Amino acid sequence: MDATVTPGPQPTPTAPSRPAPHLTPVLGRYFEREWSHGQGHRLYDMAGKAYLDFANGIAVTALGHVHPRVTAAIHAQVDRLVGPINAIGFTEPISRLADALAATFPEPLDSVMFLNSGSEAIDAALKLARRVTGRPGIIAFRGGFHGRTFGAMSVTSSAINYRVGHEPLLPGVHLSTFPAVYRRFGGDEDAAVAGAMADLRILTATEIPPSAVGSILIEAVQGEGGFTPAPPAFLLELRAFCDEHGILLIADEVQCGYGRTGRMWGFEGAGIVPDIVVLAKAIANGLPLSAIVSSRAVQERWGRGAHGSTFGGNPVACAAGLAVLETIESEGLVQNAAARGAELRAGLERIAAEDDRIGDVRGPGLMVGVEFVRDRETRAPDGSLPDRLSAACADNGLLILTCGSQHEVVRWIPPLDVTAAEISEGVEIFGETLATIPRD
């Protein structure tokens, strides 16, 4: 969608930002701005200022704001049926979306369960694996983020604040080393694959035997943990390890799925097929919806009534989800993500070549991380500069977010239908803003 489309009605330029005394103080916010509306790839504040939105609600509005095809589908469905009906039967948008989603996956992934959020879907996937395998053990990877419900939080380790004060968490969870090539293995991909697999084998030789592990959960590209891709060779070895020991491999595609990496699903880059896939975020371009996908045989072993959701698979959200998939296919947006992502990487690498505060530029497609360091030799992370930089970029009309355990990474998650001109605009604002920030 062209981000230069004329915006809707504007607020009075002097309209103040309203205080929110009754909203919880618990929710973290990257910016203390009040937003009026969105149009295309721009957000507008209450004074009418436009911002190029490369945050997208943290990879949710992957087609931008008020996308005409999605908005039309929502309006049409609201006039027919809004409330949940899954407990009493079927309705077209839910069944059609399940069919359309299944068609995007390789065999044997052909059965879809709709839920409401990424965290809820992670919990469901963990439950499925435990019941089907009869094994309680769960292995996840350090630096992963999988959500904030008790099950999802138990397999999350991207930041200590998500866990502290909430323990004890879900028992039976074990964390292994993620093959973070730049941060942990000095940029050596082969060493990262060998080292992470060695640590996994040590874990399953000293803490929990493979025969007690029901599932291994991984993001093909860690999101909150720093936009760090897992090398394809590691995912191949992990798939073989799971096959050898009868363990179900769960792919968390909540942030890295839906064309984000330049492929429809992040795991496709390694040529593997997981046993269970978790998806959310971009699925309905802003409406609450998530899903788990597996083979029908696996879900049949889970058993009728073993899990459920009152609101999961709301017909309005599913109508939006159908429009999202139709748009991705008809407009070639997976290919666009790959092409625009290459342009984004090239632009950011040019900036990195001139500024040694950038230690690494990484990530496939439109899921690119820029890691800042205090020193390129030691790779000591700089957890201060990215937050200041993202705030300054917002002042200059570009919305980008940070991630990583110390907020040392600026993450780029433009819309899937972003244009080359918008990529150029975003990179220019980023580079010019970085140049104005003095060194510590």
Side-chain angles (χ1 to χ4, degrees), residues 70 73-74 77-78 81-83 93-94 97 114-116 258 282-290 311-325:
V70 176
I74 291 170
Q77 183 57 41
V78 164
L81 179 66
V82 173
I94 303 173
L97 180 57
F114 290 116
L115 300 160
N116 301 284
Y258 257 80
I283 185 173
N285 208 53
L287 294 189
L289 187 64
S290 65
F311 290 100
N314 176 275
V316 178
C318 287
L322 273 168
V324 169
L325 278 184

Side-chain angles (χ1 to χ4, degrees), residues 338-353 361-363 365 368 370 423 427:
R340 302 289 82 76
E343 295 166 358
L344 175 60
R345 281 279 300 267
L348 294 172
E349 286 168 353
R350 285 193 295 270
I351 295 172
V361 177
R362 58 177 177 259
V368 178
V370 178
I423 291 292
V427 170

Side-chain angles (χ1 to χ4, degrees), residues 95-440:
S95 300
R96 283 184 59 207
L97 180 57
D99 291 345
L101 268 176
T104 70
F105 285 97
E107 295 182 354
L109 303 175
D110 62 357
S111 290
V112 180
M113 172 180 279
F114 290 116
L115 300 160
N116 301 284
S117 70
S119 297
E120 184 183 337
I122 289 290
D123 280 8
L126 297 177
K127 286 178 62 177
L128 168 58
R130 274 192 169 176
R131 181 140 159 170
V132 166
T133 64
R135 303 174 180 182
I138 300 165
I139 294 176
F141 291 90
R142 295 186 186 92
F145 178 86
H146 303 287
R148 297 174 185 261
T149 54
F150 262 100
M153 181 173 55
S154 300
V155 289
T156 288
S157 58
S158 58
I160 192 63
N161 192 45
Y162 299 142
R163 300 169 65 97
V164 68
H166 296 135
E167 295 177 329
L169 302 178
L170 189 69
V173 173
H174 299 261
L175 298 179
S176 194
T177 299
F178 187 85
V181 176
Y182 175 79
R183 171 55 45 207
R184 187 174 176 86
F185 292 95
D188 187 330
E189 185 169 308
D190 291 339
V193 174
M197 284 305 303
D199 284 356
L200 177 61
R201 292 190 176 96
I202 290 170
L203 173 67
T204 53
T206 60
E207 295 184 29
I208 181 171
S211 59
V213 178
S215 61
I216 295 180
L217 170 67
I218 193 167
E219 301 162 272
V221 182
Q222 285 193 336
E224 299 290 323
F227 270 37
T228 305
F234 178 78
L235 294 177
L236 283 166
E237 290 202 30
L238 188 63
R239 175 71 272 181
F241 181 88
C242 289
D243 291 340
E244 178 184 356
H245 298 289
I247 299 168
L248 296 182
L249 179 60
I250 303 174
D252 180 343
E253 294 272 339
V254 169
Q255 189 163 175
C256 66
Y258 257 80
R260 174 60 53 192
T261 64
R263 298 177 184 269
M264 188 62 188
W265 306 110
F267 64 79
E268 291 181 306
I272 65 165
V273 180
D275 299 293
I276 304 168
V277 181
V278 179
L279 47 144
K281 286 196 180 290
I283 185 173
N285 208 53
L287 294 189
L289 187 64
S290 65
I292 60 171
V293 182
S294 74
S295 69
R296 179 163 294 276
V298 166
Q299 293 198 27
E300 285 175 344
R301 289 165 59 196
W302 198 5
R304 189 178 182 90
H307 192 66
S309 170
T310 298
F311 290 100
N314 176 275
V316 178
C318 287
L322 273 168
V324 169
L325 278 184
E326 289 165 357
T327 302
I328 288 173
E329 182 176 3
S330 66
E331 297 185 8
L333 296 188
V334 176
Q335 296 82 1
N336 189 67
R340 302 289 82 76
E343 295 166 358
L344 175 60
R345 281 279 300 267
L348 294 172
E349 286 168 353
R350 285 193 295 270
I351 295 172
E354 300 295 328
D355 195 318
D356 63 5
R357 291 175 293 181
I358 296 177
D360 194 31
V361 177
R362 58 177 177 259
L366 293 173
M367 191 173 183
V368 178
V370 178
E371 181 160 348
F372 284 83
V373 295
R374 298 191 181 277
D375 181 271
R376 278 187 175 175
E377 292 299 319
T378 66
R379 305 192 181 201
D382 189 337
S384 170
L385 175 56
D387 283 333
R388 288 183 286 135
L389 176 57
S390 65
C393 283
D395 290 340
N396 292 329
L398 171 67
L399 300 180
I400 48 177
L401 306 179
T402 59
C403 61
S405 62
Q406 300 180 45
H407 290 209
E408 72 276 15
V409 179
V410 170
R411 54 174 150 174
W412 292 76
I413 38 178
L416 299 181
D417 52 354
V418 68
T419 65
E422 289 166 339
I423 291 292
S424 179
E425 177 187 355
V427 170
E428 182 178 2
I429 293 172
F430 179 80
E432 291 179 352
T433 305
L434 177 60
T436 68
I437 297 180
R439 295 176 181 271
D440 290 340

